[in-house]
Amino acid sequence: MTVRGPTRRPGRPRSAQAHTAILDAAVALFVEEGFEGMGVEAVAARAGAGKATIYRRWPSKEDLVIDAIAGVLAEAPATDTGEVREDLVQLARELHGLMGSSTTGGVFPRMAAEVARGSRLGRLYGERVIGPRRAALARALHRGIARGELPVGTDVELAIDLLVGGFLLRRLTGRLRPSDPTPEHAVDVVLAGLRADG
């Protein structure tokens, strides 16, 4: 997965360059320092932009950080292969890739604390990043139920928690590896449990 790097030449870049430089700097500082540890002044200095430029574009530090994070996290893929397993595998591969990346993966441990304490930043992250991905997984599971691939009483929310939670826990505990667990294996374990429960 390719992620923009935060390094920029000194000086005040032009508008489009400034926008990108500011977002890159915000992501990098969020990963390095956490939300409380980073400041708009530091973002401006790293981006080679003025504080006034930042405040003109983002009304608060929370808005800046969530825009920066949403910018490096691609939209959840739209999948409808006609088979629940393949849909879930594609979504799990994308999630595994994001969590395994040094930049996007570094966001998750920092953001977990914000989500857990219900901060405004955590709520924005839930709406703009977590929500769309959970919705994509839910759609795949509901299609599987409708096609008879999963039991009618399948607990969709629990299934999503089980699938996402495995990757997240391994990222938070430093045990996430490119092939451990593979997205395919994680999906198969969750589906086996859902089918056995039905």
mmCIF file of all heavy atoms in Angstrom, residues 21-76:
data_model
loop_
_atom_site.group_PDB
_atom_site.id
_atom_site.type_symbol
_atom_site.label_atom_id
_atom_site.label_comp_id
_atom_site.label_asym_id
_atom_site.label_seq_id
_atom_site.Cartn_x
_atom_site.Cartn_y
_atom_site.Cartn_z
ATOM 1 N N ALA A 21 0.790 19.103 2.053
ATOM 2 C CA ALA A 21 1.863 19.131 3.052
ATOM 3 C C ALA A 21 1.293 19.208 4.465
ATOM 4 O O ALA A 21 1.794 18.551 5.395
ATOM 5 C CB ALA A 21 2.784 20.319 2.785
ATOM 6 N N ILE A 22 0.250 19.981 4.652
ATOM 7 C CA ILE A 22 -0.373 20.119 5.969
ATOM 8 C C ILE A 22 -0.991 18.804 6.411
ATOM 9 O O ILE A 22 -0.827 18.363 7.556
ATOM 10 C CB ILE A 22 -1.420 21.257 5.949
ATOM 11 C CG1 ILE A 22 -0.724 22.613 5.816
ATOM 12 C CG2 ILE A 22 -2.281 21.222 7.212
ATOM 13 C CD1 ILE A 22 -1.654 23.745 5.401
ATOM 14 N N LEU A 23 -1.714 18.140 5.504
ATOM 15 C CA LEU A 23 -2.341 16.861 5.848
ATOM 16 C C LEU A 23 -1.292 15.803 6.163
ATOM 17 O O LEU A 23 -1.438 15.034 7.120
ATOM 18 C CB LEU A 23 -3.248 16.401 4.708
ATOM 19 C CG LEU A 23 -4.481 17.265 4.439
ATOM 20 C CD1 LEU A 23 -5.249 16.738 3.234
ATOM 21 C CD2 LEU A 23 -5.396 17.341 5.657
ATOM 22 N N ASP A 24 -0.228 15.759 5.359
ATOM 23 C CA ASP A 24 0.851 14.799 5.619
ATOM 24 C C ASP A 24 1.479 15.042 6.990
ATOM 25 O O ASP A 24 1.744 14.105 7.747
ATOM 26 C CB ASP A 24 1.935 14.918 4.546
ATOM 27 C CG ASP A 24 1.494 14.366 3.198
ATOM 28 O OD1 ASP A 24 0.480 13.648 3.139
ATOM 29 O OD2 ASP A 24 2.186 14.656 2.201
ATOM 30 N N ALA A 25 1.731 16.305 7.288
ATOM 31 C CA ALA A 25 2.345 16.650 8.566
ATOM 32 C C ALA A 25 1.431 16.305 9.735
ATOM 33 O O ALA A 25 1.883 15.816 10.776
ATOM 34 C CB ALA A 25 2.698 18.140 8.595
ATOM 35 N N ALA A 26 0.138 16.541 9.560
ATOM 36 C CA ALA A 26 -0.821 16.244 10.625
ATOM 37 C C ALA A 26 -0.871 14.753 10.932
ATOM 38 O O ALA A 26 -0.889 14.343 12.099
ATOM 39 C CB ALA A 26 -2.208 16.761 10.251
ATOM 40 N N VAL A 27 -0.886 13.910 9.895
ATOM 41 C CA VAL A 27 -0.896 12.462 10.110
ATOM 42 C C VAL A 27 0.381 12.028 10.816
ATOM 43 O O VAL A 27 0.351 11.268 11.797
ATOM 44 C CB VAL A 27 -1.055 11.692 8.784
ATOM 45 C CG1 VAL A 27 -0.816 10.203 8.989
ATOM 46 C CG2 VAL A 27 -2.440 11.909 8.203
ATOM 47 N N ALA A 28 1.516 12.488 10.324
ATOM 48 C CA ALA A 28 2.791 12.082 10.903
ATOM 49 C C ALA A 28 2.890 12.481 12.377
ATOM 50 O O ALA A 28 3.308 11.680 13.222
ATOM 51 C CB ALA A 28 3.948 12.693 10.108
ATOM 52 N N LEU A 29 2.483 13.693 12.698
ATOM 53 C CA LEU A 29 2.560 14.155 14.089
ATOM 54 C C LEU A 29 1.548 13.457 14.978
ATOM 55 O O LEU A 29 1.818 13.199 16.160
ATOM 56 C CB LEU A 29 2.389 15.674 14.144
ATOM 57 C CG LEU A 29 3.618 16.455 13.666
ATOM 58 C CD1 LEU A 29 3.273 17.925 13.433
ATOM 59 C CD2 LEU A 29 4.759 16.339 14.681
ATOM 60 N N PHE A 30 0.389 13.135 14.434
ATOM 61 C CA PHE A 30 -0.601 12.389 15.212
ATOM 62 C C PHE A 30 -0.043 11.019 15.594
ATOM 63 O O PHE A 30 -0.162 10.569 16.734
ATOM 64 C CB PHE A 30 -1.895 12.236 14.431
ATOM 65 C CG PHE A 30 -2.945 11.437 15.151
ATOM 66 C CD1 PHE A 30 -3.664 11.983 16.199
ATOM 67 C CD2 PHE A 30 -3.199 10.124 14.796
ATOM 68 C CE1 PHE A 30 -4.624 11.243 16.881
ATOM 69 C CE2 PHE A 30 -4.163 9.370 15.459
ATOM 70 C CZ PHE A 30 -4.871 9.934 16.509
ATOM 71 N N VAL A 31 0.580 10.342 14.644
ATOM 72 C CA VAL A 31 1.165 9.026 14.914
ATOM 73 C C VAL A 31 2.317 9.144 15.907
ATOM 74 O O VAL A 31 2.448 8.334 16.830
ATOM 75 C CB VAL A 31 1.630 8.351 13.602
ATOM 76 C CG1 VAL A 31 2.442 7.090 13.886
ATOM 77 C CG2 VAL A 31 0.429 8.023 12.725
ATOM 78 N N GLU A 32 3.144 10.170 15.743
ATOM 79 C CA GLU A 32 4.319 10.329 16.601
ATOM 80 C C GLU A 32 3.974 10.806 18.012
ATOM 81 O O GLU A 32 4.526 10.302 18.996
ATOM 82 C CB GLU A 32 5.293 11.336 15.975
ATOM 83 C CG GLU A 32 5.951 10.858 14.703
ATOM 84 C CD GLU A 32 6.652 11.984 13.966
ATOM 85 O OE1 GLU A 32 6.929 13.045 14.588
ATOM 86 O OE2 GLU A 32 6.923 11.821 12.758
ATOM 87 N N GLU A 33 3.079 11.772 18.114
ATOM 88 C CA GLU A 33 2.854 12.451 19.391
ATOM 89 C C GLU A 33 1.484 12.195 20.013
ATOM 90 O O GLU A 33 1.286 12.495 21.191
ATOM 91 C CB GLU A 33 3.003 13.974 19.195
ATOM 92 C CG GLU A 33 4.300 14.403 18.522
ATOM 93 C CD GLU A 33 5.508 14.187 19.406
ATOM 94 O OE1 GLU A 33 5.333 14.067 20.641
ATOM 95 O OE2 GLU A 33 6.633 14.119 18.867
ATOM 96 N N GLY A 34 0.532 11.693 19.243
ATOM 97 C CA GLY A 34 -0.835 11.602 19.734
ATOM 98 C C GLY A 34 -1.523 12.947 19.623
ATOM 99 O O GLY A 34 -0.884 13.982 19.386
ATOM 100 N N PHE A 35 -2.835 12.952 19.800
ATOM 101 C CA PHE A 35 -3.596 14.177 19.584
ATOM 102 C C PHE A 35 -3.211 15.271 20.580
ATOM 103 O O PHE A 35 -3.039 16.428 20.211
ATOM 104 C CB PHE A 35 -5.092 13.888 19.669
ATOM 105 C CG PHE A 35 -5.949 15.090 19.361
ATOM 106 C CD1 PHE A 35 -6.016 15.576 18.077
ATOM 107 C CD2 PHE A 35 -6.656 15.730 20.363
ATOM 108 C CE1 PHE A 35 -6.797 16.692 17.779
ATOM 109 C CE2 PHE A 35 -7.437 16.834 20.077
ATOM 110 C CZ PHE A 35 -7.507 17.321 18.781
ATOM 111 N N GLU A 36 -3.096 14.912 21.850
ATOM 112 C CA GLU A 36 -2.783 15.923 22.865
ATOM 113 C C GLU A 36 -1.368 16.445 22.713
ATOM 114 O O GLU A 36 -1.081 17.601 23.040
ATOM 115 C CB GLU A 36 -2.984 15.336 24.274
ATOM 116 C CG GLU A 36 -4.420 14.938 24.589
ATOM 117 C CD GLU A 36 -5.391 16.098 24.498
ATOM 118 O OE1 GLU A 36 -4.987 17.235 24.789
ATOM 119 O OE2 GLU A 36 -6.552 15.862 24.110
ATOM 120 N N GLY A 37 -0.460 15.605 22.223
ATOM 121 C CA GLY A 37 0.943 16.005 22.121
ATOM 122 C C GLY A 37 1.271 16.846 20.907
ATOM 123 O O GLY A 37 2.302 17.518 20.879
ATOM 124 N N MET A 38 0.419 16.809 19.900
ATOM 125 C CA MET A 38 0.712 17.568 18.685
ATOM 126 C C MET A 38 0.060 18.935 18.752
ATOM 127 O O MET A 38 -0.960 19.117 19.405
ATOM 128 C CB MET A 38 0.210 16.810 17.457
ATOM 129 C CG MET A 38 -1.307 16.689 17.382
ATOM 130 S SD MET A 38 -1.917 15.802 15.921
ATOM 131 C CE MET A 38 -1.657 17.012 14.633
ATOM 132 N N GLY A 39 0.653 19.898 18.075
ATOM 133 C CA GLY A 39 0.095 21.241 18.043
ATOM 134 C C GLY A 39 0.007 21.760 16.620
ATOM 135 O O GLY A 39 0.724 21.286 15.735
ATOM 136 N N VAL A 40 -0.857 22.719 16.404
ATOM 137 C CA VAL A 40 -1.007 23.304 15.071
ATOM 138 C C VAL A 40 0.298 23.977 14.645
ATOM 139 O O VAL A 40 0.679 23.939 13.474
ATOM 140 C CB VAL A 40 -2.187 24.305 15.049
ATOM 141 C CG1 VAL A 40 -2.248 25.045 13.716
ATOM 142 C CG2 VAL A 40 -3.499 23.570 15.300
ATOM 143 N N GLU A 41 0.998 24.564 15.620
ATOM 144 C CA GLU A 41 2.277 25.204 15.311
ATOM 145 C C GLU A 41 3.268 24.197 14.739
ATOM 146 O O GLU A 41 3.977 24.474 13.770
ATOM 147 C CB GLU A 41 2.875 25.845 16.563
ATOM 148 C CG GLU A 41 2.066 26.993 17.124
ATOM 149 C CD GLU A 41 0.928 26.539 18.043
ATOM 150 O OE1 GLU A 41 0.717 25.308 18.192
ATOM 151 O OE2 GLU A 41 0.236 27.416 18.589
ATOM 152 N N ALA A 42 3.307 22.992 15.338
ATOM 153 C CA ALA A 42 4.219 21.953 14.859
ATOM 154 C C ALA A 42 3.820 21.475 13.470
ATOM 155 O O ALA A 42 4.679 21.202 12.627
ATOM 156 C CB ALA A 42 4.248 20.783 15.848
ATOM 157 N N VAL A 43 2.520 21.356 13.228
ATOM 158 C CA VAL A 43 2.047 20.961 11.901
ATOM 159 C C VAL A 43 2.477 22.002 10.874
ATOM 160 O O VAL A 43 2.996 21.666 9.804
ATOM 161 C CB VAL A 43 0.510 20.795 11.882
ATOM 162 C CG1 VAL A 43 0.016 20.553 10.461
ATOM 163 C CG2 VAL A 43 0.075 19.658 12.800
ATOM 164 N N ALA A 44 2.270 23.271 11.200
ATOM 165 C CA ALA A 44 2.646 24.347 10.280
ATOM 166 C C ALA A 44 4.145 24.328 9.992
ATOM 167 O O ALA A 44 4.571 24.461 8.840
ATOM 168 C CB ALA A 44 2.233 25.698 10.859
ATOM 169 N N ALA A 45 4.944 24.137 11.032
ATOM 170 C CA ALA A 45 6.398 24.126 10.854
ATOM 171 C C ALA A 45 6.835 22.969 9.966
ATOM 172 O O ALA A 45 7.652 23.131 9.059
ATOM 173 C CB ALA A 45 7.085 24.040 12.215
ATOM 174 N N ARG A 46 6.288 21.786 10.218
ATOM 175 C CA ARG A 46 6.689 20.620 9.420
ATOM 176 C C ARG A 46 6.225 20.755 7.973
ATOM 177 O O ARG A 46 6.908 20.310 7.056
ATOM 178 C CB ARG A 46 6.141 19.338 10.031
ATOM 179 C CG ARG A 46 6.608 18.098 9.274
ATOM 180 C CD ARG A 46 6.284 16.795 9.971
ATOM 181 N NE ARG A 46 6.975 16.644 11.217
ATOM 182 C CZ ARG A 46 7.168 15.473 11.832
ATOM 183 N NH1 ARG A 46 6.699 14.355 11.282
ATOM 184 N NH2 ARG A 46 7.782 15.407 12.979
ATOM 185 N N ALA A 47 5.058 21.343 7.777
ATOM 186 C CA ALA A 47 4.515 21.481 6.420
ATOM 187 C C ALA A 47 5.124 22.659 5.664
ATOM 188 O O ALA A 47 4.942 22.768 4.450
ATOM 189 C CB ALA A 47 2.999 21.649 6.491
ATOM 190 N N GLY A 48 5.824 23.540 6.368
ATOM 191 C CA GLY A 48 6.340 24.740 5.713
ATOM 192 C C GLY A 48 5.235 25.698 5.332
ATOM 193 O O GLY A 48 5.294 26.372 4.314
ATOM 194 N N ALA A 49 4.183 25.730 6.166
ATOM 195 C CA ALA A 49 3.023 26.590 5.907
ATOM 196 C C ALA A 49 2.781 27.478 7.118
ATOM 197 O O ALA A 49 3.315 27.233 8.199
ATOM 198 C CB ALA A 49 1.797 25.738 5.612
ATOM 199 N N GLY A 50 1.967 28.490 6.946
ATOM 200 C CA GLY A 50 1.640 29.369 8.052
ATOM 201 C C GLY A 50 0.456 28.841 8.852
ATOM 202 O O GLY A 50 -0.415 28.149 8.313
ATOM 203 N N LYS A 51 0.420 29.174 10.145
ATOM 204 C CA LYS A 51 -0.720 28.779 10.974
ATOM 205 C C LYS A 51 -2.020 29.340 10.429
ATOM 206 O O LYS A 51 -3.064 28.687 10.484
ATOM 207 C CB LYS A 51 -0.530 29.260 12.421
ATOM 208 C CG LYS A 51 0.370 28.390 13.231
ATOM 209 C CD LYS A 51 0.197 28.584 14.737
ATOM 210 C CE LYS A 51 0.051 30.020 15.159
ATOM 211 N NZ LYS A 51 -0.097 30.164 16.626
ATOM 212 N N ALA A 52 -1.961 30.542 9.890
ATOM 213 C CA ALA A 52 -3.173 31.173 9.359
ATOM 214 C C ALA A 52 -3.752 30.342 8.214
ATOM 215 O O ALA A 52 -4.981 30.234 8.065
ATOM 216 C CB ALA A 52 -2.867 32.588 8.881
ATOM 217 N N THR A 53 -2.890 29.740 7.408
ATOM 218 C CA THR A 53 -3.357 28.883 6.310
ATOM 219 C C THR A 53 -4.145 27.710 6.861
ATOM 220 O O THR A 53 -5.194 27.326 6.327
ATOM 221 C CB THR A 53 -2.156 28.368 5.492
ATOM 222 O OG1 THR A 53 -1.450 29.480 4.967
ATOM 223 C CG2 THR A 53 -2.612 27.472 4.359
ATOM 224 N N ILE A 54 -3.642 27.127 7.941
ATOM 225 C CA ILE A 54 -4.322 25.980 8.549
ATOM 226 C C ILE A 54 -5.669 26.404 9.107
ATOM 227 O O ILE A 54 -6.694 25.752 8.854
ATOM 228 C CB ILE A 54 -3.441 25.348 9.645
ATOM 229 C CG1 ILE A 54 -2.173 24.754 9.010
ATOM 230 C CG2 ILE A 54 -4.215 24.284 10.422
ATOM 231 C CD1 ILE A 54 -1.171 24.207 10.012
ATOM 232 N N TYR A 55 -5.701 27.472 9.854
ATOM 233 C CA TYR A 55 -6.950 27.898 10.486
ATOM 234 C C TYR A 55 -7.996 28.375 9.479
ATOM 235 O O TYR A 55 -9.192 28.313 9.749
ATOM 236 C CB TYR A 55 -6.674 28.985 11.523
ATOM 237 C CG TYR A 55 -6.064 28.435 12.790
ATOM 238 C CD1 TYR A 55 -4.817 28.875 13.234
ATOM 239 C CD2 TYR A 55 -6.732 27.478 13.550
ATOM 240 C CE1 TYR A 55 -4.260 28.368 14.400
ATOM 241 C CE2 TYR A 55 -6.185 26.973 14.714
ATOM 242 C CZ TYR A 55 -4.944 27.423 15.133
ATOM 243 O OH TYR A 55 -4.400 26.920 16.283
ATOM 244 N N ARG A 56 -7.547 28.824 8.305
ATOM 245 C CA ARG A 56 -8.506 29.193 7.261
ATOM 246 C C ARG A 56 -9.199 27.964 6.694
ATOM 247 O O ARG A 56 -10.348 28.041 6.260
ATOM 248 C CB ARG A 56 -7.802 29.950 6.119
ATOM 249 C CG ARG A 56 -7.634 31.439 6.360
ATOM 250 C CD ARG A 56 -7.330 32.172 5.066
ATOM 251 N NE ARG A 56 -6.179 31.632 4.364
ATOM 252 C CZ ARG A 56 -4.920 32.040 4.559
ATOM 253 N NH1 ARG A 56 -4.658 32.989 5.446
ATOM 254 N NH2 ARG A 56 -3.934 31.499 3.869
ATOM 255 N N ARG A 57 -8.516 26.846 6.676
ATOM 256 C CA ARG A 57 -9.052 25.638 6.040
ATOM 257 C C ARG A 57 -9.741 24.692 7.020
ATOM 258 O O ARG A 57 -10.642 23.957 6.633
ATOM 259 C CB ARG A 57 -7.920 24.888 5.328
ATOM 260 C CG ARG A 57 -7.301 25.705 4.210
ATOM 261 C CD ARG A 57 -6.068 25.022 3.633
ATOM 262 N NE ARG A 57 -5.394 25.931 2.710
ATOM 263 C CZ ARG A 57 -4.875 25.573 1.558
ATOM 264 N NH1 ARG A 57 -4.968 24.329 1.159
ATOM 265 N NH2 ARG A 57 -4.280 26.457 0.804
ATOM 266 N N TRP A 58 -9.311 24.698 8.276
ATOM 267 C CA TRP A 58 -9.871 23.773 9.271
ATOM 268 C C TRP A 58 -10.220 24.550 10.533
ATOM 269 O O TRP A 58 -9.355 25.208 11.117
ATOM 270 C CB TRP A 58 -8.871 22.664 9.597
ATOM 271 C CG TRP A 58 -8.611 21.753 8.437
ATOM 272 C CD1 TRP A 58 -9.368 20.695 8.034
ATOM 273 C CD2 TRP A 58 -7.518 21.837 7.510
ATOM 274 N NE1 TRP A 58 -8.811 20.103 6.928
ATOM 275 C CE2 TRP A 58 -7.680 20.783 6.579
ATOM 276 C CE3 TRP A 58 -6.408 22.698 7.381
ATOM 277 C CZ2 TRP A 58 -6.785 20.572 5.533
ATOM 278 C CZ3 TRP A 58 -5.521 22.476 6.344
ATOM 279 C CH2 TRP A 58 -5.707 21.434 5.427
ATOM 280 N N PRO A 59 -11.465 24.493 10.970
ATOM 281 C CA PRO A 59 -11.883 25.288 12.127
ATOM 282 C C PRO A 59 -11.306 24.805 13.462
ATOM 283 O O PRO A 59 -11.310 25.538 14.430
ATOM 284 C CB PRO A 59 -13.408 25.145 12.121
ATOM 285 C CG PRO A 59 -13.680 23.883 11.356
ATOM 286 C CD PRO A 59 -12.582 23.772 10.351
ATOM 287 N N SER A 60 -10.815 23.562 13.490
ATOM 288 C CA SER A 60 -10.275 23.047 14.751
ATOM 289 C C SER A 60 -9.205 22.013 14.460
ATOM 290 O O SER A 60 -9.096 21.494 13.337
ATOM 291 C CB SER A 60 -11.384 22.392 15.585
ATOM 292 O OG SER A 60 -11.816 21.194 14.963
ATOM 293 N N LYS A 61 -8.432 21.685 15.488
ATOM 294 C CA LYS A 61 -7.406 20.658 15.340
ATOM 295 C C LYS A 61 -8.046 19.306 15.049
ATOM 296 O O LYS A 61 -7.514 18.504 14.258
ATOM 297 C CB LYS A 61 -6.539 20.587 16.602
ATOM 298 C CG LYS A 61 -5.310 19.709 16.448
ATOM 299 C CD LYS A 61 -4.330 19.872 17.601
ATOM 300 C CE LYS A 61 -4.804 19.190 18.852
ATOM 301 N NZ LYS A 61 -3.742 19.097 19.887
ATOM 302 N N GLU A 62 -9.214 19.028 15.653
ATOM 303 C CA GLU A 62 -9.900 17.763 15.394
ATOM 304 C C GLU A 62 -10.263 17.622 13.914
ATOM 305 O O GLU A 62 -10.075 16.561 13.319
ATOM 306 C CB GLU A 62 -11.182 17.645 16.225
ATOM 307 C CG GLU A 62 -10.957 17.452 17.700
ATOM 308 C CD GLU A 62 -10.985 18.766 18.472
ATOM 309 O OE1 GLU A 62 -10.769 19.824 17.852
ATOM 310 O OE2 GLU A 62 -11.222 18.711 19.689
ATOM 311 N N ASP A 63 -10.792 18.712 13.333
ATOM 312 C CA ASP A 63 -11.171 18.671 11.918
ATOM 313 C C ASP A 63 -9.953 18.445 11.027
ATOM 314 O O ASP A 63 -10.016 17.697 10.043
ATOM 315 C CB ASP A 63 -11.880 19.966 11.516
ATOM 316 C CG ASP A 63 -13.243 20.100 12.184
ATOM 317 O OD1 ASP A 63 -14.072 19.200 11.987
ATOM 318 O OD2 ASP A 63 -13.468 21.085 12.900
ATOM 319 N N LEU A 64 -8.843 19.073 11.371
ATOM 320 C CA LEU A 64 -7.614 18.887 10.604
ATOM 321 C C LEU A 64 -7.156 17.432 10.671
ATOM 322 O O LEU A 64 -6.857 16.809 9.645
ATOM 323 C CB LEU A 64 -6.512 19.804 11.148
ATOM 324 C CG LEU A 64 -5.087 19.518 10.668
ATOM 325 C CD1 LEU A 64 -4.995 19.652 9.155
ATOM 326 C CD2 LEU A 64 -4.098 20.434 11.376
ATOM 327 N N VAL A 65 -7.106 16.861 11.877
ATOM 328 C CA VAL A 65 -6.595 15.504 12.044
ATOM 329 C C VAL A 65 -7.496 14.488 11.347
ATOM 330 O O VAL A 65 -7.010 13.583 10.657
ATOM 331 C CB VAL A 65 -6.427 15.162 13.539
ATOM 332 C CG1 VAL A 65 -6.145 13.680 13.730
ATOM 333 C CG2 VAL A 65 -5.300 15.992 14.138
ATOM 334 N N ILE A 66 -8.805 14.639 11.487
ATOM 335 C CA ILE A 66 -9.684 13.639 10.874
ATOM 336 C C ILE A 66 -9.638 13.750 9.352
ATOM 337 O O ILE A 66 -9.692 12.731 8.647
ATOM 338 C CB ILE A 66 -11.127 13.740 11.413
ATOM 339 C CG1 ILE A 66 -11.869 12.405 11.155
ATOM 340 C CG2 ILE A 66 -11.881 14.886 10.809
ATOM 341 C CD1 ILE A 66 -11.313 11.217 11.850
ATOM 342 N N ASP A 67 -9.521 14.953 8.795
ATOM 343 C CA ASP A 67 -9.366 15.095 7.349
ATOM 344 C C ASP A 67 -8.063 14.453 6.880
ATOM 345 O O ASP A 67 -8.018 13.795 5.837
ATOM 346 C CB ASP A 67 -9.369 16.572 6.942
ATOM 347 C CG ASP A 67 -10.764 17.098 6.662
ATOM 348 O OD1 ASP A 67 -11.735 16.333 6.833
ATOM 349 O OD2 ASP A 67 -10.881 18.273 6.275
ATOM 350 N N ALA A 68 -7.004 14.651 7.662
ATOM 351 C CA ALA A 68 -5.707 14.081 7.302
ATOM 352 C C ALA A 68 -5.761 12.558 7.322
ATOM 353 O O ALA A 68 -5.263 11.887 6.409
ATOM 354 C CB ALA A 68 -4.640 14.587 8.269
ATOM 355 N N ILE A 69 -6.386 11.998 8.347
ATOM 356 C CA ILE A 69 -6.468 10.538 8.470
ATOM 357 C C ILE A 69 -7.375 9.961 7.379
ATOM 358 O O ILE A 69 -7.042 8.953 6.760
ATOM 359 C CB ILE A 69 -6.952 10.153 9.876
ATOM 360 C CG1 ILE A 69 -5.847 10.455 10.888
ATOM 361 C CG2 ILE A 69 -7.353 8.680 9.936
ATOM 362 C CD1 ILE A 69 -6.281 10.358 12.324
ATOM 363 N N ALA A 70 -8.515 10.596 7.147
ATOM 364 C CA ALA A 70 -9.416 10.132 6.102
ATOM 365 C C ALA A 70 -8.741 10.182 4.738
ATOM 366 O O ALA A 70 -9.018 9.361 3.855
ATOM 367 C CB ALA A 70 -10.697 10.963 6.093
ATOM 368 N N GLY A 71 -7.811 11.117 4.576
ATOM 369 C CA GLY A 71 -7.114 11.254 3.302
ATOM 370 C C GLY A 71 -6.170 10.109 2.999
ATOM 371 O O GLY A 71 -5.975 9.758 1.832
ATOM 372 N N VAL A 72 -5.553 9.516 4.032
ATOM 373 C CA VAL A 72 -4.637 8.402 3.780
ATOM 374 C C VAL A 72 -5.340 7.055 3.845
ATOM 375 O O VAL A 72 -4.796 6.037 3.420
ATOM 376 C CB VAL A 72 -3.424 8.404 4.749
ATOM 377 C CG1 VAL A 72 -2.569 9.638 4.530
ATOM 378 C CG2 VAL A 72 -3.849 8.272 6.197
ATOM 379 N N LEU A 73 -6.548 7.033 4.400
ATOM 380 C CA LEU A 73 -7.325 5.801 4.421
ATOM 381 C C LEU A 73 -8.304 5.844 3.253
ATOM 382 O O LEU A 73 -9.250 6.616 3.249
ATOM 383 C CB LEU A 73 -8.095 5.673 5.736
ATOM 384 C CG LEU A 73 -7.249 5.499 6.993
ATOM 385 C CD1 LEU A 73 -8.124 5.600 8.230
ATOM 386 C CD2 LEU A 73 -6.525 4.174 6.980
ATOM 387 N N ALA A 74 -8.059 5.031 2.265
ATOM 388 C CA ALA A 74 -8.942 5.011 1.103
ATOM 389 C C ALA A 74 -10.347 4.612 1.530
ATOM 390 O O ALA A 74 -10.543 3.999 2.580
ATOM 391 C CB ALA A 74 -8.408 4.029 0.066
ATOM 392 N N GLU A 75 -11.326 4.975 0.707
ATOM 393 C CA GLU A 75 -12.701 4.577 1.011
ATOM 394 C C GLU A 75 -12.811 3.061 1.039
ATOM 395 O O GLU A 75 -12.078 2.352 0.339
ATOM 396 C CB GLU A 75 -13.652 5.128 -0.057
ATOM 397 C CG GLU A 75 -13.838 6.629 0.010
ATOM 398 C CD GLU A 75 -14.865 7.110 -0.992
ATOM 399 O OE1 GLU A 75 -15.611 6.267 -1.532
ATOM 400 O OE2 GLU A 75 -14.923 8.323 -1.230
ATOM 401 N N ALA A 76 -13.715 2.563 1.873
ATOM 402 C CA ALA A 76 -13.939 1.120 1.939
ATOM 403 C C ALA A 76 -14.330 0.614 0.561
ATOM 404 O O ALA A 76 -15.153 1.224 -0.120
ATOM 405 C CB ALA A 76 -15.035 0.805 2.952
#
